Amino acid sequence: MLTLGGDGSSPLTGLSARLLVLTIFFVMLSEVFIYAPSIGRYRLVYMQERIATAHLAALATSSPDGGTMSPRLTAEILDHARSHRIVCRSTSEVATLVGEATPRIDEVYDLREAAFFPLIWEAFLVLGRSGNRMIEVVGPAPKDPDTLVRTVIDEAPMRYEMLGYSERILFLSIVISLITATLVYISLQLLFVRPMLGITESMIAFRADPEDPRHAVAPGSRTDEIGRARRELGEMQRALRQALQQRSRLAALGTAVTKINHDLRNILASAQLVSDHIRVSPDPRVRRIAPTLLGALDRAIKLCSQTLAFAHDGELPPSYSRFGLRALVEEVGDDLRESRPAAARFDCEVPDGSTVEADRDQLRRVLTNLALNAYQAGARTVRVGARLDDDSVTIAVDDDGPGLAEPVRERLFEPFSGSNRIGGTGLGLSIARDLMRGHGGDVHLVKTGAAGTVFEIVLPSEGARSSR
């Protein structure tokens, strides 16, 4: 595990150092696979050279007049050829060079039958032996394939040369692996480890003080994975910082609202007592609007009480009851009659007899918020329809407004961010979603554009909620 940051760890104990060791190991392992066929090839070339030297010695000793060489000259030629006996057989003649002592042959190698894997295996067998053996090498002459050459040589000199070749290969492999590993180590330090150290230090500083913008990681100009990670981390830190700041503002706002609601509830209660006299007013128009006014005051007082309960105890669970959905939607339309534009319409398209089980006041609040948002955005007509399925109840709120702007859509349900009008708080949709999610449902945007906007409220049916 790579330890980063100010914990006293050394680069030699990190990921790049381990990769340095692994690089050396893998380079050496690769060299082993290269060395095996190389040493087999080296042994083959050595024996081919002995065949070529033996053929050349036989040609040098051939005499046109058929005379014989002295034993001393024959011994010198065999010594220079590193051979104890040479026999060259062509289609026309046979040339033989033999020393004073007849060698005892331990093994015969026919180069005409040389194969890849046997050559490698036999090369390692030669390297593993000690002492000397007499071997006879048989093969065609390099310059005259019709001439078959047999030469008896010592195996020990060949083994010594193979060991020297192996040492050179080992030394070269170590040098190559060290150079490669060092370059990889330096590359990792520059391209990976140092940027990751910077990212980690930024994360540690951000954890200590998330709201300080100085601790944010700089995006940088890199286009690779590290650059993408820096940009994503910077975006995550920015979003989290905004969320924390917003949470602080909400906490302060919640405290203020709690204090205001306490006094507002008392004021509304006094207004409710005074408004009771409106019912007995001689003016018929006043008596006609009195139920609406009293209902609004009742709901305002109840909302203040629920807000105080939420601030004290947390989220207020819905109070379920079964009620007619069409009647509720018509009440929402009546409530909005005074607050919507004069020429605006509110159409209830909920089928007769449709019933739903939910918190009536919370659902009424959600429908009111959606319809009021539509009118404030410029809609002239708001239509509310419903579709009842076995598992859910879907309520569609459709308007003919100008639609939502792209920036608003991205933060539609975020408090203080999802408003489509100047001066809006963006709390309406956030509250609506929270209330419906408390029912196990949701509120989501179906479509929006120049032709209008459609929101859907999805509530689980009584059976689906019970099974859940």
Side-chain angles (χ1 to χ4, degrees):
M1 179 179 178
L2 176 61
T3 54
L4 300 172
D7 57 356
S9 59
S10 170
L12 296 178
T13 62
L15 178 62
S16 55
R18 297 186 181 186
L19 187 59
L20 174 67
V21 176
L22 287 176
T23 303
I24 294 175
F25 171 75
F26 288 132
V27 170
M28 295 300 294
L29 183 62
S30 301
E31 290 294 339
V32 169
F33 289 107
I34 296 174
Y35 168 75
S38 298
I39 194 64
R41 177 66 181 173
Y42 186 87
R43 175 175 170 272
L44 176 62
V45 170
Y46 180 90
M47 291 188 294
Q48 288 175 342
E49 289 178 352
R50 300 283 69 79
I51 290 290
T53 304
H55 182 231
L56 184 60
L59 291 176
T61 58
S62 62
S63 175
D65 56 2
T68 59
M69 290 186 302
S70 63
R72 181 174 173 275
L73 182 58
T74 301
E76 288 181 2
I77 293 176
L78 289 174
D79 182 61
H80 285 290
R82 300 183 185 180
S83 178
H84 296 279
R85 185 179 67 189
I86 297 174
V87 178
C88 293
R89 187 183 301 275
S90 64
T91 55
S92 59
E93 60 179 348
V94 176
T96 303
L97 278 77
V98 182
E100 297 180 355
T102 302
R104 183 180 61 85
I105 299 174
D106 295 308
E107 195 164 354
V108 178
Y109 293 103
D110 192 341
L111 301 186
R112 295 172 298 178
E113 300 175 356
F116 181 78
F117 289 107
L119 282 174
I120 296 175
W121 175 248
E122 291 165 359
F124 281 105
L125 289 179
V126 172
L127 290 173
R129 291 193 186 104
S130 59
N132 185 35
R133 295 195 314 162
M134 291 291 177
I135 60 173
E136 183 178 29
V137 182
V138 181
K143 299 296 183 180
D144 187 5
D146 294 332
T147 301
L148 185 65
V149 181
R150 293 177 176 269
T151 178
V152 179
I153 63 175
D154 294 310
E155 190 178 57
M158 179 173 62
R159 181 169 63 253
Y160 295 148
E161 292 197 19
M162 292 171 63
L163 290 173
Y165 174 79
S166 302
E167 292 175 358
R168 294 191 297 272
I169 288 292
L170 177 61
F171 176 76
L172 184 61
S173 300
I174 293 175
V175 172
I176 292 175
S177 62
L178 289 176
I179 293 175
T180 304
T182 302
L183 293 176
V184 170
Y185 179 82
I186 295 174
S187 300
L188 280 177
Q189 284 287 332
L190 296 177
L191 297 177
F192 181 75
V193 176
R194 288 187 181 181
M196 287 302 298
L197 281 171
I199 291 175
T200 305
E201 289 172 359
S202 173
M203 293 171 64
I204 294 173
F206 183 82
R207 181 184 62 184
D209 189 3
E211 297 187 17
D212 190 347
R214 295 175 299 175
H215 298 155
V217 63
S221 58
R222 293 179 58 165
T223 58
D224 55 6
E225 290 79 1
I226 296 293
R228 181 181 177 185
R230 292 179 67 92
R231 289 190 294 274
E232 292 297 330
L233 177 61
E235 182 64 23
M236 183 187 70
Q237 289 177 338
R238 185 191 64 79
L240 183 57
R241 187 182 303 109
Q242 289 182 351
L244 291 174
Q245 293 172 351
Q246 179 176 295
R247 182 177 179 182
S248 299
R249 292 196 300 269
L250 285 175
L253 179 62
T255 302
V257 169
T258 301
K259 296 177 181 179
I260 294 172
N261 266 293
H262 182 271
D263 297 334
L264 182 61
R265 184 181 60 174
N266 296 333
I267 295 172
L268 291 174
S270 301
Q272 186 182 37
L273 293 175
V274 175
S275 63
D276 287 338
H277 299 287
I278 298 178
R279 295 179 178 178
V280 295
S281 173
D283 190 338
R285 291 184 302 173
V286 173
R287 290 198 304 271
R288 187 174 66 252
I289 65 173
T292 303
L293 176 61
L294 293 175
L297 287 173
D298 288 338
R299 290 192 299 275
I301 294 172
K302 187 174 182 179
L303 178 61
C304 290
S305 300
Q306 290 180 346
T307 303
L308 290 172
F310 174 79
H312 184 266
D313 298 326
E315 184 178 355
L316 192 67
S319 177
Y320 289 98
S321 63
R322 178 166 289 280
F323 54 89
L325 183 57
R326 183 178 179 86
L328 174 65
V329 173
E330 290 175 346
E331 289 179 14
V332 171
D334 293 339
D335 293 341
L336 293 173
R337 184 176 291 111
E338 300 299 328
S339 57
R340 71 193 184 205
R345 294 174 48 194
F346 183 90
D347 296 338
C348 177
E349 300 177 356
V350 178
D352 292 331
S354 301
T355 60
V356 64
E357 185 168 5
D359 188 311
R360 196 175 194 277
D361 291 335
Q362 290 186 6
L363 183 57
R364 179 175 186 159
R365 185 178 174 187
V366 172
L367 290 171
T368 301
N369 279 340
L370 292 176
L372 190 58
N373 284 347
Y375 289 130
Q376 291 174 346
R380 311 302 297 174
T381 302
V382 174
R383 294 177 295 275
V384 180
R387 183 177 70 255
L388 280 69
D389 300 324
D390 294 336
D391 297 330
S392 64
V393 178
T394 303
I395 304 171
V397 180
D398 184 1
D399 67 70
D400 59 354
L404 301 174
E406 182 65 29
V408 177
R409 280 181 248 170
E410 296 176 357
R411 302 179 179 273
L412 191 59
F413 295 98
E414 295 183 13
F416 305 106
S417 302
S419 178
N420 196 37
R421 60 187 176 87
I422 299 176
T425 63
L427 284 172
L429 289 176
S430 176
I431 293 173
R433 168 167 278 187
D434 290 342
L435 292 177
M436 291 301 96
R437 285 184 172 178
H439 284 71
D442 202 353
V443 177
H444 58 269
L445 176 66
V446 177
K447 66 177 182 178
T448 184
T453 302
V454 179
F455 282 93
E456 280 189 352
I457 302 170
V458 181
L459 290 172
S461 63
E462 181 181 1
R465 191 178 67 251
S466 300
S467 62
R468 186 179 302 173

